[in-house]
Amino acid sequence: MPHPRNPALYRLTKQLLQKYHKAVRPVHDWTEATTVYLDVFVHAILDVDAQNQKLKTSIWYHEVWVDEFLSWNPSMFDEIREISLPLSDIWAPDIIINEFVEIEGSPDLPYVYVNSSGTIKNSKPIQVVSTCSLETYAFPFDIQNCSLTFSSVLHTVQDVDLAFLRSREDIKHDKKEFLNDSEWELLSVSSTYSILQSGAGDFAQIQFNVVIRRRPLVYVVNLLIPSIFLMLVDLGSFYLPPTCRARIVFKTSVLVGYTVFRVNMSDEMPRSALSTPLIGVFFTVCMAFLVISLFKSILLVRFLHDEWSHGQEWPLLCLRGDADADGPRMDPRAQLAGVPEPPIRRDPQVQPGSLKEVWFQLKSISTYFQTWEQADRKGVKWLALLERLDRLLFQAYAILLGLYTVTLCSLWALWGSS
């Protein structure tokens, strides 16, 4: 079929843009404000950077306003009721996101739809990187609340006003556009309208609060359960005898396991200068208890080793022959402890093998054992003190592990009820 020489769409576009001035706000009465209707659909949570306090979100952004200079009678243009026009050729509101840091990966859509009444619809996807106060204390059961505030850069509320395109309840519970297969789950998108008062004037703004929560299952399997098992193994080491030297080897192995697990856990946990995850705090305290217990076991084994090395020759010294019979004898254990021992001299008239000789030997052995008992009292006191410290560490460790488990269960319950 032959093309018409003067098509209606061409005539309509030429008529609308021929005398159009995009630098002028499109109202006949300049005292009336241009109302821009906003709507946001959260499409996906791309990244949550706790270290830099940034949130990367993919959203669908819609804005609608009325241009009084772009209306026509459809009956004069073959009943055309809606056309597309280049956005660069018409006036557009200067709406920005106040929290944005950078906009990346957002396609540039050059056209907008205009209907016969002058209503303009501008829809576009945006990947926005915005600042957000991220709280990681309850990791991995954390819930984040980040806001996206839309407002005009230069136009006050007397020139450009904002309004909601849909009801607030529909915006809050609408999740059909959200890709629900990532680490984060969308809970709600609440919205509020407010007037920002400043020295330059009053500005209308609409704030969308995006509430998301983390799916913790992968962190429960990879972090929480192994950390609890490692703490239970360390707790079981307290059942080894305090004087057992293998306890030091066991605790050292557990400390190496703690260190390796802590290094691997640091890659999984979010890093933030504002708050430290609770699991990291508990794990550091448990490592401190382990180091204290290991240091106490080393002191105990060292003390017992010194006692054993000094006391292993005592029976030999007690039963020596006549080499030292004529001179005073002093127990080395007594010398070490500073306990004086009365010298025992043998009567030169006593015949070897007689009853008096036996009596002198028995009296010497009795004196040695009495001196040994006096010198051991100091060691027994230290041993009892270290054993009390060991029981105290065990009780504190058990309470800490119980508190850690109860806290994690409570955080999980709060996460589930949100």
Side-chain angles (χ1 to χ4, degrees):
M1 297 179 60
H3 295 283
R5 296 182 60 183
N6 195 6
L9 182 59
Y10 174 77
R11 290 188 294 109
L12 175 59
T13 304
K14 183 178 180 180
Q15 176 180 326
L16 292 176
L17 299 180
Q18 187 174 12
K19 296 182 179 181
Y20 187 89
H21 297 281
K22 64 179 181 180
V24 179
R25 189 166 58 91
V27 291
H28 294 290
D29 185 2
W30 66 271
T31 60
E32 295 182 1
T34 301
T35 302
V36 181
Y37 299 88
L38 302 183
D39 196 5
V40 167
F41 293 89
V42 180
H43 184 61
I45 304 298
L46 303 179
D47 186 31
V48 178
D49 189 354
Q51 184 175 4
N52 298 315
Q53 298 288 293
K54 294 192 297 185
L55 174 69
K56 186 177 180 180
T57 314
S58 175
I59 63 174
W60 272 96
Y61 172 68
H62 302 274
E63 59 182 6
V64 177
W65 69 94
V66 176
D67 192 322
E68 299 179 5
F69 300 153
L70 294 178
S71 60
W72 68 91
N73 187 358
S75 61
M76 298 177 59
F77 300 94
D78 294 343
E79 298 298 330
I80 296 177
R81 300 185 180 275
E82 191 175 51
I83 62 173
S84 61
L85 293 177
L87 181 61
S88 59
D89 292 340
I90 64 175
W91 180 90
D94 54 343
I95 306 298
I96 64 167
I97 302 175
N98 295 339
E99 294 87 359
F100 91 100
V101 179
E102 56 180 323
I103 297 179
E104 56 179 29
S106 302
D108 186 14
L109 302 182
Y111 293 95
V112 294
Y113 272 113
V114 183
N115 63 19
S116 59
S117 62
T119 301
I120 301 177
K121 300 176 183 179
N122 182 20
S123 301
K124 55 184 176 181
I126 302 177
Q127 288 186 9
V128 55
V129 181
S130 59
T131 60
C132 180
S133 179
L134 300 173
E135 181 62 50
T136 59
Y137 180 75
F139 172 84
F141 307 105
D142 50 333
I143 299 176
Q144 308 295 343
N145 187 348
C146 299
S147 61
L148 299 175
T149 305
F150 295 83
S151 65
S152 174
V153 179
L154 297 176
H155 294 89
T156 62
V157 69
Q158 287 79 18
D159 295 331
V160 174
D161 196 5
L162 302 181
F164 294 101
L165 187 59
R166 294 183 297 163
S167 66
R168 298 183 184 182
E169 287 298 320
D170 292 341
I171 297 175
K172 183 176 182 179
H173 301 290
D174 189 3
K175 304 178 184 178
K176 61 179 179 294
E177 298 290 339
F178 185 73
L179 296 180
N180 202 18
D181 56 354
S182 62
E183 179 184 354
W184 295 91
E185 177 185 0
L186 179 64
L187 295 182
S188 64
V189 182
S190 59
S191 55
T192 56
Y193 172 85
S194 61
I195 301 295
L196 177 63
Q197 298 179 350
S198 64
D202 298 337
F203 295 87
Q205 62 180 15
I206 289 181
Q207 185 178 75
F208 296 93
N209 295 309
V210 181
V211 182
I212 57 177
R213 69 177 179 183
R214 193 192 305 267
R215 289 188 172 93
L217 183 59
V218 62
Y219 298 100
V220 170
V221 174
N222 295 334
L223 289 181
L224 299 187
I225 294 180
S227 67
I228 293 177
F229 284 164
L230 194 57
M231 293 176 186
L232 288 175
V233 170
D234 189 17
L235 190 64
S237 65
F238 284 90
Y239 284 95
L240 293 175
T243 57
C244 180
R245 300 183 182 181
R247 186 177 186 181
I248 297 180
V249 179
F250 184 81
K251 282 187 171 292
T252 304
S253 302
V254 174
L255 182 59
V256 173
Y258 263 102
T259 306
V260 174
F261 184 77
R262 189 73 174 88
V263 172
N264 295 332
M265 188 174 64
S266 62
D267 297 332
E268 299 290 338
M269 289 195 308
R271 301 176 181 179
S272 175
L274 301 178
S275 62
T276 302
L278 185 62
I279 179 177
V281 175
F282 274 109
F283 211 73
T284 303
V285 174
C286 290
M287 287 187 67
F289 275 112
L290 174 60
V291 171
I292 294 174
S293 177
L294 180 62
F295 184 70
K296 184 267 306 175
S297 299
I298 293 175
L299 289 180
L300 180 61
V301 171
R302 177 62 182 174
F303 177 78
L304 294 177
H305 174 76
D306 292 340
E307 293 296 322
W308 176 79
S309 62
H310 286 298
Q312 61 183 349
E313 297 182 354
W314 296 339
L316 220 56
L317 293 173
C318 293
L319 298 178
R320 280 183 180 174
D322 298 336
D324 301 328
D326 294 335
R329 292 195 298 261
M330 178 68 71
D331 184 12
R333 179 66 178 269
Q335 295 177 2
L336 181 65
V339 179
E341 179 186 5
I344 301 176
R345 295 184 177 274
R346 180 179 172 184
D347 192 351
Q349 298 180 356
V350 177
Q351 298 295 327
S354 64
L355 291 177
K356 287 186 177 182
E357 173 67 17
V358 175
W359 180 81
F360 276 114
Q361 291 291 341
L362 291 176
K363 188 174 181 182
S364 175
I365 293 175
S366 175
T367 304
Y368 275 111
F369 275 108
Q370 290 177 2
T371 307
W372 191 358
E373 182 179 0
Q374 292 177 4
D376 270 349
R377 290 176 182 175
K378 184 178 181 181
V380 170
K381 290 180 180 179
W382 281 104
L383 183 61
L385 179 61
L386 291 176
E387 288 180 350
R388 289 196 199 98
L389 179 60
D390 192 68
R391 288 194 299 268
L392 181 62
L393 286 175
F394 174 78
Q395 294 172 358
Y397 209 147
I399 294 174
L400 180 67
L401 182 58
L403 182 62
Y404 176 64
T405 306
V406 171
T407 303
L408 290 179
C409 294
S410 301
L411 291 176
W412 201 342
L414 292 175
W415 177 91
S417 62
S418 60

